[in-house]
Amino acid sequence: MNSSSDANQSGSPPFCLLGAVGYSRSLDTCVLEVVVILFLTVLIIAGNLVVIFVFHCAPLLHHHTTSHFIQTMAYADLLVGVTCLVPSLSLLHYLRGLNEELTCKAFGYMVSVLKSVSMASLACISVDRYIAITRPLSYATLVTPCRLRVCIVLIWIYSALIFLPSFFGWGKPGYHGDIFQWCADSWKTNPGFSTFIVALLYAPAALTVCFTYGSIFKICRQHTREITQRHARFSSQADGDKGERGERCEGCPDKRYAMVLFRITSVFYVLWMPYILYFLLESAGLYHHMVASFLTTWLAISNSFCNCLIYSLSNSVFRKGLGRLFSPLFPSCLGCTDAKKAPAPVSLRPDPRCQV
């Protein structure tokens, strides 16, 4: 028998990261941990299922090659939600027969790999947008479907390999498994392994994103300035309005799409930065607190739900696909909305793409 089962038999409360304040004797469980983890699990699974279905139902979302990386992130985040069922079931005492050490190691490793896939995908998205804006004429030859598939496979292989040494006793990949007492008490972080992860994953991904998006917005600002100067110098008022509108709209879709991706990346790093800082401080032996470990870890995991929210708020094509996905459930409401938005009929053959 392991220590947790002995504790339960002796009548003492089980191990809770948030302390005795979250323990309920009537339910015999850590209520706060169960509520937080189950709530995030439901949001993550539901949100990413919506993203996956919308991408399959909205062909216009496949216009950009970055949709392959977005779908990769959605599948990885969906698997994060599924794996989060493990600590939920453990806290509810449904996994008492499993080996606690092996379970917590497997859970911590899987979540670390899946979040590494998301982080590497965000870096690849930024590189893809950088190539699209800096080399538009050769983009189609540089970024091919075959190369995209190879890149996605390499992301999964690299993410699986980089955390593998933790299984052989070299450090701890993160605090995702600390819901299990063995992980919290016996599986210690190692400064060497933490430096290894930061040097080969966190730092390269963050530097790549900062460089590419910084360059993208610098180029967009320069193009906008040149268009404004050209319009003021060479155009008359009437012809200039048309020319400026045409030139500006030529770069609008790429710029708007880059802004959506930049929001996703920014939210990712905002939610992950407290976890990374705590990971470095705890590995160096400067700070250790179970509550801080729990809060920073699950704040970072909550990012797996945010992509769906950002897309629904920022991308009109995604909202259109979302409406088509739920149209069978709410036909009358959507019919009324379409009737209000529909303009007077001008042509007998309207193009549905123009309404997206």
Side-chain angles (χ1 to χ4, degrees), residues 128-136 216 219-220 223 254-255 258:
D128 174 85
R129 290 297 88 199
Y130 178 78
I131 297 174
I133 291 178
T134 58
R135 299 185 180 181
I216 287 171
I219 292 170
C220 289
H223 286 177
D254 283 337
K255 185 176 180 180

Side-chain angles (χ1 to χ4, degrees), residues 18 21-23 29-37 294:
L18 297 181
V21 68
Y23 175 66
T29 188
C30 307
V31 177
L32 291 180
E33 284 94 329
V34 170
V35 170
V36 171
I37 296 173
F294 178 85

Side-chain angles (χ1 to χ4, degrees), residues 62-91:
H62 296 277
H63 175 70
H64 293 281
T65 55
T66 49
S67 65
H68 295 83
F69 293 113
I70 296 293
Q71 290 180 80
T72 300
M73 290 173 56
Y75 282 110
D77 290 336
L78 176 63
L79 291 175
V80 169
V82 173
T83 55
C84 285
L85 291 172
V86 174
S88 303
L89 295 175
S90 175
L91 289 171

Side-chain angles (χ1 to χ4, degrees), residues 100-173:
E100 185 174 306
E101 177 181 349
L102 181 61
T103 303
C104 89
K105 276 189 172 183
F107 172 72
Y109 172 77
M110 288 181 64
V111 174
S112 299
V113 169
L114 294 171
K115 299 312 297 181
S116 173
V117 169
S118 295
M119 191 174 293
S121 296
L122 286 173
C124 291
I125 287 172
S126 66
V127 173
D128 174 85
R129 290 297 88 199
Y130 178 78
I131 297 174
I133 291 178
T134 58
R135 299 185 180 181
L137 299 179
S138 58
Y139 175 79
T141 57
L142 291 173
V143 183
T144 62
C146 181
R147 290 177 179 175
L148 283 174
R149 295 188 195 98
V150 171
C151 183
I152 291 172
V153 171
L154 290 177
I155 287 174
W156 283 93
I157 294 175
Y158 183 78
S159 300
L161 292 177
I162 194 173
F163 288 102
L164 198 58
S166 61
F167 262 109
F168 299 98
W170 188 33
K172 181 179 181 179

Side-chain angles (χ1 to χ4, degrees), residues 167-341:
F167 262 109
F168 299 98
W170 188 33
K172 181 179 181 179
Y175 309 100
H176 314 97
D178 282 6
I179 291 295
F180 302 93
Q181 187 170 5
W182 186 91
C183 272
D185 294 342
S186 303
W187 201 8
K188 303 299 182 181
T189 54
N190 182 285
F193 182 72
S194 301
T195 305
F196 172 77
I197 295 297
V198 171
L200 294 186
L201 179 62
Y202 296 154
L207 292 175
T208 300
V209 167
C210 291
F211 171 77
T212 51
Y213 280 114
S215 301
I216 287 171
F217 291 122
K218 182 179 179 181
I219 292 170
C220 289
R221 194 181 305 113
Q222 182 181 356
H223 286 177
T224 302
R225 189 183 304 114
E226 291 175 354
I227 291 172
T228 303
Q229 293 174 353
R230 191 183 311 163
H231 163 65
R233 188 178 304 173
F234 297 108
S235 299
S236 63
Q237 186 65 30
D239 295 337
D241 290 341
K242 296 179 182 178
E244 182 185 7
R245 191 179 300 113
E247 287 178 302
R248 284 182 183 273
C249 288
E250 184 180 355
C252 282
D254 283 337
K255 185 176 180 180
R256 285 196 299 267
Y257 194 64
M259 281 300 299
V260 174
L261 299 175
F262 178 72
R263 291 188 192 106
I264 292 175
T265 306
S266 300
V267 171
F268 182 91
Y269 280 100
V270 166
L271 295 178
W272 269 84
M273 194 54 64
Y275 171 81
I276 294 174
L277 291 177
Y278 178 80
F279 183 62
L280 294 175
L281 291 174
E282 202 272 343
S283 300
L286 300 177
Y287 181 73
H288 174 73
H289 199 283
M290 286 188 176
V291 176
S293 169
F294 178 85
L295 294 179
T296 56
T297 297
W298 291 96
L299 178 66
I301 290 178
S302 69
N303 172 260
S304 297
F305 166 72
C306 292
N307 293 340
C308 172
L309 188 62
I310 296 172
Y311 261 113
S312 61
L313 295 176
S314 305
N315 195 317
S316 60
V317 179
F318 184 88
R319 289 197 298 269
K320 187 70 174 179
L322 193 63
R324 291 175 179 174
L325 179 64
F326 289 102
S327 58
L329 300 178
F330 308 101
S332 58
C333 296
L334 291 176
C336 295
T337 305
D338 292 339
K340 291 179 181 179
K341 292 184 178 180

